[in-house]
Amino acid sequence: MRLSRYFLPVLKENPSEAQIVSHRYMLRAGMIKQQAAGIYSWLPLGFKVLRRIEQIVHEEQIRAGHIPLLMPTLQPADLWRESGRYDDYGEEMLRITDRHKRDMLYGPTNEEMITDIFRAHVTSYKDLPLTLYHIQWKFRDEIRPRFGVMRGREFLMKDGYNFDIDVDAALHAYNRHMVSYLRTYERMGLKAIPMRAASGPIGGDNTHEFLVLAATGESEVFYDSAITDLTFGDRVVNYDDRAECAAIVREWTTPYARTDETHEAAIYAAIPEARRKSSRAIEVGQIFFFGTKYSEPMGAVVVNDKGERVPVQMGSHGIGVSRLLGAIIEASHDDRGIIWPEGVTPFHVGLVNLKQGDSATDAACAGLYTALAARGLDPLYDDRDERAGAKFATMDLIGLPWRITVGPRGLAAGKVELTSRRTGVSEEMAAEEAVARVAAIYQGV
Ligand code: ATP
Ligand code: MG
């Protein structure tokens, strides 16, 4: 993309309404525009990152054997009356009446609807296990929407639902989700720690939240620092292997890590003092096992291998897709702007022309652009007639992890400059080498 043809409405001034850095940078980098409290338009740069995050979520869910579908945002109230949650949910639910005076709602989550789909089509244990998920907009009429996309009213969530014949199989689904989530967050460059959590309105005893440590987080957490040393890396997982998934879950749930709701001071005090940590943190996901909480009242029943009719065992598993943009920025920025991890960056590399209109420099940039694109990379070429300082400031603000700078002086020596946004380190090299280096960095990302 050429910046002169793109839509990147960068703000020079700090927006006064933004209290935390991620919100400030998302507004300044022209990623979002607020349309009402907690409701945002996703401008092209923000939309690009949102799509990349979604894509990672899809890939990791499909890798785990989970099946994508799409349910609507609007739901009939009657489904929620069956589970009893229509009255329980309270004012966070946006209730709507259609022209025929039928009660509708904008879905805050989808347990009832997915249970309805299941009961309409599945009757036998032979069709299990089954995990269905979607990535869809949710609405919760939060009393205090704030921090930009972090606590919106309309927000994008991945929510998945497992259906299993017995508790053991459902607990394997729970473990499978934990493993797939560990991989998902790590691909986004995030350390998201699974912590034992309290269940809240969805119900169920087995639940973990995934938390990103950040001073601006709304949760309070307590943990053994040993857990922050764990990495998933590139291990290959057989998601059908119950013992293998359980072992990974054990690895990540053995060190103490809990939110304030489940914190137990006595167990915490037994951790060696140097490893005892507490922090603020951002919840970026949660997994639940809740058994027959919905299948029983809603009649989601299957015949088991003994010919008996049993309610199906279920769980639900959510990732805060739009919140993740804020969480990633909170975890990865400096005082000049965002620093995107390679896994989610909106463009792979920025290309800065130091002397727009100089025919040799323009030609070198055009050549680099073509060569990068030929390697399957998506460059952002700043071809505006601007000072070098302004171009660097824009690139730093929008946070592309790599920048190639091209100017007449370097070109005279046959060199361009490759700069890491994270370390600030620049290296001079031939244009072809810069292309090869960037391509190598993104191999396998
Ligand atoms: P919170 O405690 O932050 O209100 P929750 O526990 O009610 O969140 P879940 O029902 O667990 O939320 O939803 C799954 C994920 O969706 C959360 O882990 C979070 O990342 C995201 N999420 C929830 N509420 C919002 C919101 N208002 N804005 C953006 N993302 C949200
Ligand atoms: Mg939650």
Side-chain angles (χ1 to χ4, degrees), residues 372-415:
L372 289 162
R375 299 279 195 127
L377 297 166
D378 187 8
L380 180 65
Y381 172 23
D382 191 345
D383 60 342
R384 297 169 305 161
D385 194 10
E386 282 275 359
R387 290 177 300 108
K391 291 189 176 186
F392 291 149
T394 300
M395 283 296 173
D396 284 349
L397 174 64
I398 69 173
L400 309 186
W402 296 93
R403 187 184 80 209
I404 299 175
T405 309
V406 186
R409 200 165 339 136
L411 284 179
K415 306 274 191 204

Side-chain angles (χ1 to χ4, degrees), residues 305-375:
D305 59 357
K306 299 184 193 72
E308 302 154 344
R309 288 166 54 79
V310 293
V312 71
Q313 297 286 334
M314 292 175 61
S316 73
H317 315 277
I319 293 181
V321 173
S322 51
R323 178 180 285 183
L324 272 166
L325 277 92
I328 292 169
I329 297 171
E330 290 296 324
S332 185
H333 67 270
D334 63 16
D335 55 7
R336 287 174 292 141
I338 303 165
I339 306 173
W340 291 116
E342 276 86 358
V344 299
T345 183
F347 294 95
H348 295 116
V349 56
L351 189 53
V352 170
N353 183 334
L354 292 178
K355 196 163 185 199
Q356 207 68 47
D358 173 72
S359 57
T361 315
D362 290 358
C365 286
L368 272 158
Y369 190 94
T370 309
L372 289 162
R375 299 279 195 127

Side-chain angles (χ1 to χ4, degrees), residues 38 89 92 108-109 111 138-140 142 145-146 148-159 185 198-199 201-202 209-210 218-219 261 282-288 317-324:
Y89 218 91
E92 273 195 14
T109 177
E111 281 80 6
K138 304 290 185 292
F139 197 95
R140 294 183 188 174
E142 301 273 357
R146 58 182 184 155
V149 299
M150 208 81 100
R151 182 163 298 282
R153 291 196 296 165
E154 189 185 44
F155 60 97
L156 192 59
M157 195 208 282
K158 171 263 165 179
D159 42 323
Y185 296 120
S199 66
I202 292 183
E209 288 178 355
F210 289 78
E218 293 185 285
S219 307
E261 291 160 325
I282 302 164
E283 181 194 331
V284 292
Q286 184 160 15
I287 55 176
F288 296 93
H317 315 277
I319 293 181
V321 173
S322 51
R323 178 180 285 183
L324 272 166

Side-chain angles (χ1 to χ4, degrees), residues 72-83:
T73 54
L74 294 184
Q75 306 186 18
D78 280 345
L79 267 184
W80 288 67
R81 292 194 173 102
E82 289 189 50
S83 71

Side-chain angles (χ1 to χ4, degrees), residues 121-154:
H121 300 289
V122 183
T123 53
S124 163
Y125 74 97
K126 290 179 187 152
D127 295 323
L128 304 182
L130 179 66
T131 294
L132 301 169
Y133 78 93
H134 70 164
I135 299 180
Q136 176 62 293
W137 294 93
K138 304 290 185 292
F139 197 95
R140 294 183 188 174
D141 204 353
E142 301 273 357
I143 187 161
R144 236 179 324 130
R146 58 182 184 155
F147 300 158
V149 299
M150 208 81 100
R151 182 163 298 282
R153 291 196 296 165
E154 189 185 44

Side-chain angles (χ1 to χ4, degrees), residues 267-302:
I267 309 179
Y268 181 64
I271 303 166
E273 196 177 345
R275 298 201 330 239
R276 221 181 289 154
K277 307 277 180 208
S278 73
S279 172
R280 307 294 298 179
I282 302 164
E283 181 194 331
V284 292
Q286 184 160 15
I287 55 176
F288 296 93
F289 164 66
F290 47 69
T292 60
K293 181 178 158 75
Y294 299 93
S295 57
E296 267 201 60
M298 295 185 66
V301 172
V302 288

